Amino acid sequence: GEDVEQSLFLSVREGDSSVINCTYTDSSSTYLYWYKQEPGAGLQLLTYIFSNMDMKQDQRLTVLLNKKDKHLSLRIADTQTGDSAIYFCAEKDGAGSYQLTFGKGTKLSVIP
Amino acid sequence: DTAVSQTPKYLVTQMGNDKSIKCEQNLGHDTMYWYKQDSKKFLKIMFSYNNKELIINETVPNRFSPKSPDKAHLNLHINSLELGDSAVYFCASSAPGTANTEAFFGQGTRLTVV
């Protein structure tokens, strides 16, 4: 079955860049997502990338996709304390698929 | 306007009880889901319904029974609750097949079984 892996923790200083990495096994993944979960809250979609793209930028967020290595990363520039949260990588294996497979989440801690 | 709403937000109950969690979406989506997030924050899909029909039923005890009275609602009923059922349960909805395939999540229901 599909598997999505992430490191569990990341700690950065305020103002630095954060890079959260994710690897997946499903070569038929069509869409890849980054969700953010703040304490006590639901999941909020941050950004997504289609598998025929290798980069997507949205303000402070940059997503890089290496389809050959099945590696996805999320870079947050100028990390702020409000970015402290758990970040989930997720993949969907096709436009008609009904299921997201999530990684275990990376807890980002921002040190003031 | 809340896109995906779940009730209750918190639920504390004793072992052996039967409880329900309700979910409603006003996005006009065809597909709704239940996910379970355990104490280690791991998210796993439990069920998926498309147009009121069950599409995905992962390895979940049959004490859990989803019910979809219409495509805007997907309720989760749990019989004979056990301590291990304590978790946060998230409802979500999406419109598969569209270019933007975002799944919208509810705020979660924190279930504590004592």
Side-chain angles (χ1 to χ4, degrees), chain B residues 4 6 12 20 23 30 38 52 55 60 69 74 76 84 88 107:
Chain B
V4 181
Q6 301 177 223
V12 181
S20 291
C23 179
D30 289 338
D38 64 22
K52 303 195 300 173
I55 301 298
V60 175
L74 181 62
L76 184 64
V88 180
Q107 290 301 297

Side-chain angles (χ1 to χ4, degrees), chain B residues 95-113:
Chain B
T98 59
N100 179 357
T101 56
E102 176 179 357
F104 290 80
F105 283 80
Q107 290 301 297
T109 296
R110 182 175 293 278
L111 171 65
T112 305
V113 183

